[in-house]
Amino acid sequence: MKVALENGHDEQQFFVYEQLPCIFNIWYYIYMVIDRWAKPLLEQKLQSFPAVALLGPRQMGKTTLALEIAAAQGGMYLDLERPADANRLADPDVYLRSKLNNFLVLDEVQRNPELFPVLRGVIDEQRRVGIRNGSFLLLGSASQELVGAASESLAGRLAFVELTPITPAEAAPTGVDQDQVLVRGGFPDSLLAQSDSTSLQWRQAFIRLFLDREVPMFAPRISTDTLSRLWQMIAHSSGGLLNSANLAGSLGISNPTIDRYLDLLSELGMIRLLRPWSTNVGKRVVKSPKVFIRDTGIAHALLGIETLDELRGHPVIGSSFESLVIESVITSISTNLTSTSWEPYFYRTSNGAEIDLVLTRGGKPEIAIEVKNSSTPKLTRGFHTALQDLDIKRTYVVYSGTERYIMQHGVEAISLIDLQNTLHNA
C-alpha cells in the first residue's frame, strides 16, 4: 500500500507508506481489520463536497482511516503537529495553490484555524478549472470553536463526518464480541488490547493525556483537576438526568462554570447530553437532558472497572449497557447512506411514562427503543403509556439475548447488533 506523503526534499516529492514511523503500520494492519461504518459516508461526502472534515477524539482512528482513503486516491498527508509539515504551510496560500491537482489530508487542523479562509480561495479557484469535489480531507477534534470557524469560512464547501467509538455491529465480523466492546469501549487501542489490564492502562493514560493536553489546547482557563472530578461524577451517574446545580455545588463552582465544563466535554466527544422530546405532547415532560459518558470504556476507567465480572457486580452495569445501546444506535443512523436525518431524544413525563430513546424524523417521533439489560425483558406500564402519548408504531426492546421475537402489543425484542444492522441498512 502506498500513500503520497511529502518528505520535504526537492529531489523526491513522495515516499511510500512503509517508510512512515512504525506506529502507522501497526495502526493500519490492526485497525483496518474492523471496517468503520463512517468510511462509506466519508467517501460519499468527498464525492459531493470540495472539503470534508472528519471529526472525533484523539486516538479514535481518524488518521488511519484518512491514510487508507488517501492511498486509494494517491493523495498527500500532512500532520500539522509535525514541525516539518507545519513549516510547509508557513505560507499556506502559496503552498495549497501549488497542489491544486492533489487530494490533500490535513491532520490536526485545530492547530491552524487560519487555514480555512485560504482553503476557501483555493477551493473556489479549483472550481473555476473544473475541480469541484474531493480535494481536502480535514482531521480534527469536534470542538465548537473549530466547527464554527470552518463552517463560517467554508460555507457551502465543507461537510462534516464524525468518527465515533467502534460499535458492537462494526466489531462483530472480526470476532470481537459485544461484552468486550461494553467493557473496553470503542477506542481501537483499548478495544483490541491484548488483555483487560492492558486496555484499562491505555484508557487511564488517555484520560490523563486528554486532561493534560487536549483541555489546555481548547480551554486554557479551565481547571483540569475540577474537570477530572466532574468527569468522574458523571461516570457514577451516567444515564441520569443532568442536575447542573447539584454538580456545581459539589464542586464548589458556579452554574455558568459548570455549564462551560459540560460544553467542553460534550464538544470534545467525551459526554453526550441527550435532549428530552417535548414537542406537541401536551404532557408535563421532563425538561433536563440525560448525560452519558459516550464511551463505556472511558466510563469504566474513570470508575476503576477492569473486567466483565467486575462490571456485572457494579451498580453502573445497567446504565453502561444503556449508554452502549444509545451510542451504537446513533452511530447506526448517522452512517446510513440513504437517510441521515434522524434525531435522537428520550421521553419522560412527570407521571412515569418513559422511553429510553426516541428517534424522530421530520419533527415526528417514528421509532421507540427501550433498553433492558436482561435475557428476559419485561415492559413497564410507563413504556406503553409513552407509546400512546407519542403514537409510535415502530418499537423495539434491546436486550442481552440474541433471539428476535415479537412481544405484547407488537413490540419487537431484538439484540443490539441486529438493531444496529436494521437501522444502518434500512
Side-chain angles (χ1 to χ4, degrees):
M1 168 182 160
K2 295 185 178 181
V3 179
L5 298 160
E6 289 206 57
N7 66 4
H9 301 293
D10 293 338
E11 68 274 13
Q12 183 182 3
Q13 185 177 8
F14 306 118
F15 66 86
V16 298
Y17 181 84
E18 284 77 13
Q19 292 173 289
L20 281 171
C22 180
I23 187 65
F24 284 135
N25 287 306
I26 295 172
W27 282 352
Y28 180 78
Y29 289 113
I30 293 179
Y31 294 172
M32 286 301 106
V33 170
I34 297 179
D35 291 327
R36 305 303 304 274
W37 282 0
K39 183 186 175 186
L41 179 63
L42 183 59
E43 292 170 333
Q44 182 189 73
K45 296 295 185 184
L46 284 168
Q47 293 172 5
S48 304
F49 289 85
V52 178
L54 180 62
L55 304 178
R58 189 181 296 273
Q59 302 296 323
M60 189 57 75
K62 299 187 301 293
T63 300
T64 307
L65 183 54
L67 286 171
E68 186 183 21
I69 291 175
Q73 301 201 26
M76 294 183 295
Y77 169 88
L78 295 180
D79 181 356
L80 300 190
E81 285 193 331
R82 185 170 177 263
D85 288 348
N87 288 339
R88 293 184 181 85
L89 292 170
D91 189 338
D93 190 65
V94 171
Y95 181 85
L96 293 176
R97 290 180 189 278
S98 72
K99 308 296 180 186
L100 286 181
N101 293 317
N102 295 112
F103 175 71
L104 187 60
V105 178
L106 300 176
D107 203 348
E108 299 293 341
V109 291
Q110 69 270 11
R111 293 277 183 179
N112 200 350
E114 60 270 19
L115 278 177
F116 299 133
V118 178
L119 283 172
R120 179 182 59 197
V122 173
I123 288 170
D124 290 346
E125 182 174 336
Q126 287 180 320
R127 284 175 165 176
R128 287 191 288 270
V129 298
I131 304 171
R132 304 197 61 81
N133 299 317
S135 297
F136 298 100
L137 178 55
L138 315 178
L139 312 183
S141 301
S143 74
Q144 190 61 43
E145 181 179 354
L146 171 62
V147 172
S151 298
E152 181 178 355
S153 297
L154 297 173
R157 305 167 180 85
L158 176 68
F160 293 95
V161 173
E162 183 183 15
L163 188 62
T164 59
I166 295 169
T167 65
E170 291 175 289
T174 68
V176 176
D177 65 32
Q178 181 173 299
D179 285 341
Q180 185 167 324
V181 182
L182 174 64
V183 174
R184 299 182 178 187
F187 281 81
D189 275 311
S190 174
L191 179 61
L192 302 174
Q194 292 183 348
S195 67
D196 287 340
S197 175
T198 303
S199 171
L200 180 60
Q201 291 173 33
W202 184 91
R203 281 174 276 136
Q204 290 171 335
F206 171 86
I207 290 169
R208 190 72 259 162
L209 178 67
F210 179 86
L211 292 169
D212 291 344
R213 180 177 179 180
E214 294 292 287
V215 172
M217 182 191 307
F218 290 101
R221 296 184 180 180
I222 278 184
S223 166
T224 55
D225 288 340
T226 303
L227 186 67
S228 176
R229 291 168 58 203
L230 171 62
W231 208 356
Q232 288 183 314
M233 291 171 68
I234 295 172
H236 280 282
S237 60
S238 184
L241 293 177
L242 175 64
N243 190 322
S244 298
N246 282 353
L247 291 173
S250 298
L251 294 169
I253 57 180
S254 67
N255 285 349
T257 300
I258 200 73
D259 289 341
R260 190 166 71 251
Y261 282 29
L262 290 168
D263 287 344
L264 179 66
L265 287 173
S266 177
E267 290 167 8
L268 295 179
M270 294 297 106
I271 67 172
R272 180 179 297 279
L273 298 174
L274 186 66
R275 297 170 293 165
W277 176 259
S278 59
T279 304
N280 300 324
V281 174
K283 305 280 184 177
R284 291 186 59 188
V285 298
V286 168
K287 298 294 186 180
S288 298
K290 283 185 176 182
V291 59
F292 295 89
I293 303 290
R294 291 187 60 175
D295 182 77
T296 56
I298 295 298
H300 299 155
L302 290 165
L303 299 172
I305 298 171
E306 180 176 315
T307 67
L308 180 61
D309 285 342
E310 291 175 5
L311 178 60
R312 284 172 172 161
H314 198 285
V316 301
I317 177 63
S319 60
S320 285
F321 185 61
E322 181 180 352
S323 177
L324 178 67
V325 170
I326 288 174
E327 288 300 315
S328 299
V329 166
I330 291 174
T331 295
S332 301
I333 59 175
S334 65
T335 54
N336 184 314
L337 296 181
T338 60
S339 178
T340 57
S341 58
W342 295 99
E343 291 290 337
Y345 298 87
F346 77 96
Y347 178 73
R348 183 184 294 182
T349 69
S350 59
N351 65 359
E354 181 175 5
I355 300 173
D356 291 329
L357 184 61
V358 176
L359 302 182
T360 72
R361 187 166 53 179
K364 178 177 173 24
E366 292 192 12
I367 299 177
I369 299 170
E370 188 73 358
V371 182
K372 299 292 184 183
N373 184 37
S374 168
S375 59
T376 56
K378 296 181 181 179
L379 301 176
T380 64
R381 180 181 299 178
F383 177 70
H384 289 298
T385 301
L387 293 181
Q388 294 172 1
D389 290 346
L390 301 183
D391 191 28
I392 297 179
K393 307 302 182 186
R394 189 177 172 190
T395 58
Y396 299 97
V397 173
V398 179
Y399 75 118
S400 57
T402 58
E403 182 184 358
R404 188 169 182 172
Y405 62 95
I406 301 299
M407 304 175 67
Q408 58 184 337
H409 305 300
V411 178
E412 187 170 8
I414 192 170
S415 71
L416 174 55
I417 291 175
D418 278 351
L419 180 59
Q420 277 198 262
N421 287 321
T422 297
L423 296 176
H424 178 68
N425 298 316

Short mmCIF file of all heavy atoms in Angstrom, two decimals, residues 163-209:
data_model
loop_
_atom_site.label_atom_id
_atom_site.label_comp_id
_atom_site.label_asym_id
_atom_site.label_seq_id
_atom_site.Cartn_x
_atom_site.Cartn_y
_atom_site.Cartn_z
N LEU A 163 -16.34 10.51 13.51
CA LEU A 163 -15.88 9.15 13.74
C LEU A 163 -16.11 8.83 15.21
O LEU A 163 -15.48 9.41 16.09
CB LEU A 163 -14.41 9.00 13.38
CG LEU A 163 -13.87 7.56 13.40
CD1 LEU A 163 -14.60 6.70 12.37
CD2 LEU A 163 -12.37 7.53 13.15
N THR A 164 -17.03 7.93 15.46
CA THR A 164 -17.43 7.59 16.83
C THR A 164 -16.70 6.32 17.29
O THR A 164 -16.04 5.65 16.50
CB THR A 164 -18.95 7.36 16.87
OG1 THR A 164 -19.29 6.29 15.98
CG2 THR A 164 -19.70 8.62 16.45
N PRO A 165 -16.82 5.98 18.57
CA PRO A 165 -16.22 4.72 19.04
C PRO A 165 -16.75 3.52 18.26
O PRO A 165 -17.89 3.51 17.79
CB PRO A 165 -16.66 4.65 20.51
CG PRO A 165 -16.84 6.09 20.91
CD PRO A 165 -17.37 6.77 19.69
N ILE A 166 -15.91 2.51 18.11
CA ILE A 166 -16.30 1.27 17.42
C ILE A 166 -17.48 0.65 18.16
O ILE A 166 -17.49 0.54 19.39
CB ILE A 166 -15.13 0.29 17.37
CG1 ILE A 166 -13.99 0.87 16.52
CG2 ILE A 166 -15.56 -1.06 16.82
CD1 ILE A 166 -12.69 0.09 16.61
N THR A 167 -18.50 0.24 17.41
CA THR A 167 -19.71 -0.32 17.99
C THR A 167 -19.71 -1.85 17.88
O THR A 167 -18.93 -2.42 17.11
CB THR A 167 -20.95 0.24 17.28
OG1 THR A 167 -20.94 -0.22 15.92
CG2 THR A 167 -20.97 1.76 17.31
N PRO A 168 -20.60 -2.52 18.61
CA PRO A 168 -20.63 -3.99 18.53
C PRO A 168 -20.87 -4.52 17.12
O PRO A 168 -20.26 -5.52 16.73
CB PRO A 168 -21.80 -4.35 19.47
CG PRO A 168 -21.78 -3.27 20.50
CD PRO A 168 -21.42 -2.02 19.73
N ALA A 169 -21.75 -3.88 16.35
CA ALA A 169 -22.02 -4.38 14.99
C ALA A 169 -20.83 -4.20 14.07
O ALA A 169 -20.60 -5.02 13.17
CB ALA A 169 -23.24 -3.67 14.41
N GLU A 170 -20.03 -3.15 14.26
CA GLU A 170 -18.81 -2.97 13.46
C GLU A 170 -17.76 -4.01 13.85
O GLU A 170 -17.02 -4.50 12.99
CB GLU A 170 -18.25 -1.57 13.68
CG GLU A 170 -19.09 -0.45 13.09
CD GLU A 170 -18.54 0.92 13.45
OE1 GLU A 170 -18.65 1.31 14.63
OE2 GLU A 170 -18.00 1.59 12.56
N ALA A 171 -17.68 -4.33 15.14
CA ALA A 171 -16.65 -5.24 15.62
C ALA A 171 -16.99 -6.71 15.39
O ALA A 171 -16.10 -7.55 15.27
CB ALA A 171 -16.40 -5.00 17.10
N ALA A 172 -18.29 -7.02 15.33
CA ALA A 172 -18.73 -8.42 15.29
C ALA A 172 -18.11 -9.23 14.16
O ALA A 172 -17.72 -10.40 14.39
CB ALA A 172 -20.25 -8.48 15.22
N PRO A 173 -18.00 -8.72 12.92
CA PRO A 173 -17.43 -9.54 11.84
C PRO A 173 -16.00 -10.00 12.09
O PRO A 173 -15.54 -10.96 11.47
CB PRO A 173 -17.52 -8.62 10.62
CG PRO A 173 -18.62 -7.67 10.93
CD PRO A 173 -18.50 -7.43 12.40
N THR A 174 -15.28 -9.33 12.99
CA THR A 174 -13.89 -9.71 13.28
C THR A 174 -13.79 -10.68 14.45
O THR A 174 -12.68 -11.08 14.82
CB THR A 174 -13.05 -8.46 13.58
OG1 THR A 174 -13.49 -7.90 14.83
CG2 THR A 174 -13.20 -7.42 12.49
N GLY A 175 -14.93 -11.02 15.05
CA GLY A 175 -14.90 -11.93 16.19
C GLY A 175 -14.81 -11.24 17.54
O GLY A 175 -14.76 -11.92 18.57
N VAL A 176 -14.78 -9.91 17.58
CA VAL A 176 -14.80 -9.19 18.84
C VAL A 176 -16.24 -9.14 19.34
O VAL A 176 -17.12 -8.63 18.65
CB VAL A 176 -14.26 -7.75 18.67
CG1 VAL A 176 -14.38 -6.97 19.97
CG2 VAL A 176 -12.81 -7.78 18.20
N ASP A 177 -16.50 -9.67 20.53
CA ASP A 177 -17.89 -9.78 20.95
C ASP A 177 -18.38 -8.52 21.66
O ASP A 177 -17.60 -7.63 22.02
CB ASP A 177 -18.12 -11.02 21.83
CG ASP A 177 -17.37 -10.98 23.16
OD1 ASP A 177 -17.18 -9.89 23.71
OD2 ASP A 177 -16.97 -12.04 23.64
N GLN A 178 -19.69 -8.47 21.85
CA GLN A 178 -20.33 -7.28 22.41
C GLN A 178 -19.86 -6.98 23.82
O GLN A 178 -19.68 -5.82 24.19
CB GLN A 178 -21.85 -7.46 22.38
CG GLN A 178 -22.63 -6.28 22.93
CD GLN A 178 -24.12 -6.44 22.71
OE1 GLN A 178 -24.59 -6.54 21.58
NE2 GLN A 178 -24.88 -6.50 23.79
N ASP A 179 -19.64 -8.02 24.63
CA ASP A 179 -19.19 -7.80 26.00
C ASP A 179 -17.83 -7.11 26.04
O ASP A 179 -17.56 -6.29 26.92
CB ASP A 179 -19.13 -9.13 26.76
CG ASP A 179 -20.50 -9.65 27.15
OD1 ASP A 179 -21.46 -8.85 27.18
OD2 ASP A 179 -20.62 -10.87 27.41
N GLN A 180 -16.97 -7.46 25.08
CA GLN A 180 -15.65 -6.81 25.05
C GLN A 180 -15.79 -5.34 24.71
O GLN A 180 -15.11 -4.49 25.30
CB GLN A 180 -14.75 -7.51 24.02
CG GLN A 180 -13.32 -6.97 24.00
CD GLN A 180 -12.38 -7.86 23.22
OE1 GLN A 180 -12.51 -9.09 23.26
NE2 GLN A 180 -11.44 -7.26 22.51
N VAL A 181 -16.69 -5.01 23.78
CA VAL A 181 -16.94 -3.61 23.46
C VAL A 181 -17.53 -2.88 24.66
O VAL A 181 -17.16 -1.74 24.97
CB VAL A 181 -17.87 -3.48 22.24
CG1 VAL A 181 -18.08 -2.01 21.88
CG2 VAL A 181 -17.32 -4.23 21.04
N LEU A 182 -18.45 -3.54 25.35
CA LEU A 182 -19.08 -2.93 26.52
C LEU A 182 -18.04 -2.59 27.59
O LEU A 182 -18.02 -1.46 28.11
CB LEU A 182 -20.13 -3.88 27.09
CG LEU A 182 -20.79 -3.46 28.41
CD1 LEU A 182 -21.59 -2.18 28.24
CD2 LEU A 182 -21.69 -4.58 28.94
N VAL A 183 -17.17 -3.53 27.91
CA VAL A 183 -16.21 -3.33 28.99
C VAL A 183 -15.12 -2.35 28.59
O VAL A 183 -14.79 -1.42 29.34
CB VAL A 183 -15.58 -4.66 29.42
CG1 VAL A 183 -14.47 -4.43 30.45
CG2 VAL A 183 -16.64 -5.59 30.00
N ARG A 184 -14.56 -2.53 27.39
CA ARG A 184 -13.37 -1.77 26.99
C ARG A 184 -13.69 -0.50 26.22
O ARG A 184 -12.83 0.38 26.07
CB ARG A 184 -12.45 -2.64 26.14
CG ARG A 184 -11.92 -3.88 26.83
CD ARG A 184 -10.98 -4.63 25.91
NE ARG A 184 -10.40 -5.82 26.52
CZ ARG A 184 -9.45 -6.55 25.95
NH1 ARG A 184 -8.98 -6.20 24.75
NH2 ARG A 184 -8.97 -7.61 26.56
N GLY A 185 -14.92 -0.39 25.71
CA GLY A 185 -15.26 0.77 24.90
C GLY A 185 -14.78 0.62 23.47
O GLY A 185 -14.27 -0.44 23.08
N GLY A 186 -14.94 1.67 22.69
CA GLY A 186 -14.70 1.60 21.26
C GLY A 186 -13.48 2.31 20.73
O GLY A 186 -13.33 2.45 19.51
N PHE A 187 -12.58 2.79 21.59
CA PHE A 187 -11.31 3.30 21.10
C PHE A 187 -10.49 2.11 20.62
O PHE A 187 -10.32 1.12 21.36
CB PHE A 187 -10.55 4.05 22.19
CG PHE A 187 -11.04 5.44 22.44
CD1 PHE A 187 -12.15 5.68 23.24
CD2 PHE A 187 -10.40 6.53 21.87
CE1 PHE A 187 -12.61 6.96 23.47
CE2 PHE A 187 -10.84 7.83 22.10
CZ PHE A 187 -11.96 8.04 22.90
N PRO A 188 -9.94 2.15 19.40
CA PRO A 188 -9.27 0.96 18.85
C PRO A 188 -8.18 0.39 19.73
O PRO A 188 -8.11 -0.82 19.93
CB PRO A 188 -8.71 1.48 17.51
CG PRO A 188 -9.65 2.58 17.12
CD PRO A 188 -10.04 3.24 18.41
N ASP A 189 -7.31 1.24 20.27
CA ASP A 189 -6.21 0.73 21.11
C ASP A 189 -6.73 0.01 22.34
O ASP A 189 -6.16 -0.98 22.78
CB ASP A 189 -5.30 1.88 21.55
CG ASP A 189 -4.24 2.20 20.52
OD1 ASP A 189 -3.57 1.27 20.04
OD2 ASP A 189 -4.09 3.38 20.18
N SER A 190 -7.81 0.53 22.90
CA SER A 190 -8.38 -0.09 24.09
C SER A 190 -9.12 -1.37 23.74
O SER A 190 -8.93 -2.41 24.39
CB SER A 190 -9.35 0.89 24.76
OG SER A 190 -10.04 0.29 25.83
N LEU A 191 -9.95 -1.33 22.71
CA LEU A 191 -10.76 -2.48 22.35
C LEU A 191 -9.90 -3.67 21.94
O LEU A 191 -10.21 -4.82 22.27
CB LEU A 191 -11.72 -2.11 21.21
CG LEU A 191 -12.63 -3.22 20.69
CD1 LEU A 191 -13.54 -3.73 21.79
CD2 LEU A 191 -13.45 -2.72 19.50
N LEU A 192 -8.82 -3.43 21.20
CA LEU A 192 -8.02 -4.50 20.63
C LEU A 192 -6.75 -4.81 21.44
O LEU A 192 -5.86 -5.49 20.95
CB LEU A 192 -7.64 -4.14 19.20
CG LEU A 192 -8.83 -3.88 18.26
CD1 LEU A 192 -8.35 -3.40 16.91
CD2 LEU A 192 -9.68 -5.13 18.12
N ALA A 193 -6.70 -4.32 22.67
CA ALA A 193 -5.55 -4.59 23.52
C ALA A 193 -5.45 -6.09 23.83
O ALA A 193 -6.43 -6.83 23.74
CB ALA A 193 -5.66 -3.80 24.82
N GLN A 194 -4.27 -6.53 24.22
CA GLN A 194 -4.03 -7.95 24.45
C GLN A 194 -4.75 -8.49 25.68
O GLN A 194 -5.00 -9.68 25.78
CB GLN A 194 -2.52 -8.22 24.57
CG GLN A 194 -1.76 -8.00 23.27
CD GLN A 194 -0.29 -8.34 23.40
OE1 GLN A 194 0.22 -8.53 24.51
NE2 GLN A 194 0.41 -8.42 22.29
N SER A 195 -5.07 -7.62 26.62
CA SER A 195 -5.73 -8.07 27.85
C SER A 195 -6.58 -6.94 28.41
O SER A 195 -6.42 -5.76 28.04
CB SER A 195 -4.70 -8.51 28.89
OG SER A 195 -3.95 -7.38 29.33
N ASP A 196 -7.48 -7.29 29.33
CA ASP A 196 -8.27 -6.27 30.00
C ASP A 196 -7.38 -5.30 30.77
O ASP A 196 -7.65 -4.10 30.84
CB ASP A 196 -9.27 -6.92 30.96
CG ASP A 196 -10.43 -7.60 30.23
OD1 ASP A 196 -10.68 -7.25 29.06
OD2 ASP A 196 -11.08 -8.47 30.85
N SER A 197 -6.33 -5.82 31.37
CA SER A 197 -5.42 -4.98 32.15
C SER A 197 -4.73 -3.96 31.26
O SER A 197 -4.65 -2.77 31.59
CB SER A 197 -4.38 -5.85 32.86
OG SER A 197 -3.43 -5.06 33.53
N THR A 198 -4.23 -4.42 30.11
CA THR A 198 -3.57 -3.51 29.17
C THR A 198 -4.55 -2.47 28.65
O THR A 198 -4.22 -1.29 28.49
CB THR A 198 -2.97 -4.30 28.00
OG1 THR A 198 -2.06 -5.27 28.50
CG2 THR A 198 -2.24 -3.38 27.03
N SER A 199 -5.77 -2.91 28.37
CA SER A 199 -6.80 -1.99 27.90
C SER A 199 -7.08 -0.90 28.93
O SER A 199 -7.15 0.29 28.59
CB SER A 199 -8.09 -2.76 27.60
OG SER A 199 -9.16 -1.88 27.33
N LEU A 200 -7.24 -1.30 30.18
CA LEU A 200 -7.51 -0.31 31.23
C LEU A 200 -6.36 0.67 31.37
O LEU A 200 -6.57 1.88 31.53
CB LEU A 200 -7.78 -1.02 32.56
CG LEU A 200 -8.07 -0.10 33.75
CD1 LEU A 200 -9.30 0.76 33.50
CD2 LEU A 200 -8.22 -0.92 35.03
N GLN A 201 -5.13 0.16 31.31
CA GLN A 201 -3.96 1.05 31.41
C GLN A 201 -3.96 2.07 30.28
O GLN A 201 -3.63 3.24 30.47
CB GLN A 201 -2.68 0.22 31.40
CG GLN A 201 -2.46 -0.62 32.64
CD GLN A 201 -1.26 -1.53 32.51
OE1 GLN A 201 -0.27 -1.20 31.85
NE2 GLN A 201 -1.33 -2.70 33.12
N TRP A 202 -4.33 1.60 29.06
CA TRP A 202 -4.38 2.53 27.93
C TRP A 202 -5.41 3.62 28.16
O TRP A 202 -5.15 4.80 27.93
CB TRP A 202 -4.72 1.78 26.63
CG TRP A 202 -4.67 2.68 25.43
CD1 TRP A 202 -3.60 2.92 24.62
CD2 TRP A 202 -5.74 3.51 24.94
NE1 TRP A 202 -3.94 3.83 23.65
CE2 TRP A 202 -5.24 4.22 23.83
CE3 TRP A 202 -7.05 3.73 25.33
CZ2 TRP A 202 -6.00 5.12 23.10
CZ3 TRP A 202 -7.83 4.63 24.62
CH2 TRP A 202 -7.31 5.31 23.51
N ARG A 203 -6.59 3.23 28.65
CA ARG A 203 -7.65 4.22 28.87
C ARG A 203 -7.29 5.22 29.97
O ARG A 203 -7.57 6.41 29.87
CB ARG A 203 -8.97 3.51 29.19
CG ARG A 203 -9.65 2.96 27.94
CD ARG A 203 -10.87 2.14 28.29
NE ARG A 203 -10.53 0.76 28.61
CZ ARG A 203 -11.02 0.09 29.62
NH1 ARG A 203 -11.89 0.66 30.46
NH2 ARG A 203 -10.67 -1.17 29.83
N GLN A 204 -6.65 4.73 31.00
CA GLN A 204 -6.22 5.63 32.07
C GLN A 204 -5.18 6.63 31.56
O GLN A 204 -5.21 7.82 31.92
CB GLN A 204 -5.67 4.82 33.25
CG GLN A 204 -6.75 4.04 33.99
CD GLN A 204 -6.20 3.07 35.02
OE1 GLN A 204 -5.05 2.61 34.89
NE2 GLN A 204 -6.98 2.77 36.03
N ALA A 205 -4.28 6.17 30.70
CA ALA A 205 -3.30 7.07 30.10
C ALA A 205 -3.97 8.07 29.17
O ALA A 205 -3.59 9.25 29.11
CB ALA A 205 -2.24 6.26 29.35
N PHE A 206 -4.99 7.60 28.44
CA PHE A 206 -5.73 8.50 27.55
C PHE A 206 -6.41 9.61 28.34
O PHE A 206 -6.38 10.79 27.94
CB PHE A 206 -6.77 7.73 26.75
CG PHE A 206 -7.70 8.60 25.96
CD1 PHE A 206 -7.35 9.04 24.69
CD2 PHE A 206 -8.92 9.02 26.49
CE1 PHE A 206 -8.19 9.87 23.97
CE2 PHE A 206 -9.77 9.86 25.78
CZ PHE A 206 -9.40 10.28 24.51
N ILE A 207 -7.02 9.26 29.45
CA ILE A 207 -7.70 10.26 30.28
C ILE A 207 -6.70 11.30 30.76
O ILE A 207 -6.97 12.51 30.72
CB ILE A 207 -8.41 9.57 31.47
CG1 ILE A 207 -9.60 8.76 30.96
CG2 ILE A 207 -8.86 10.60 32.51
CD1 ILE A 207 -10.19 7.83 32.01
N ARG A 208 -5.53 10.85 31.20
CA ARG A 208 -4.51 11.78 31.67
C ARG A 208 -4.03 12.68 30.52
O ARG A 208 -3.88 13.90 30.69
CB ARG A 208 -3.32 10.98 32.23
CG ARG A 208 -2.30 11.79 32.96
CD ARG A 208 -2.85 12.25 34.29
NE ARG A 208 -3.30 13.65 34.24
CZ ARG A 208 -4.11 14.19 35.14
NH1 ARG A 208 -4.58 13.46 36.13
NH2 ARG A 208 -4.47 15.46 35.04
N LEU A 209 -3.83 12.09 29.35
CA LEU A 209 -3.40 12.87 28.18
C LEU A 209 -4.47 13.88 27.80
O LEU A 209 -4.16 15.03 27.47
CB LEU A 209 -3.12 11.93 27.01
CG LEU A 209 -2.70 12.59 25.70
CD1 LEU A 209 -1.34 13.25 25.86
CD2 LEU A 209 -2.67 11.58 24.56
#
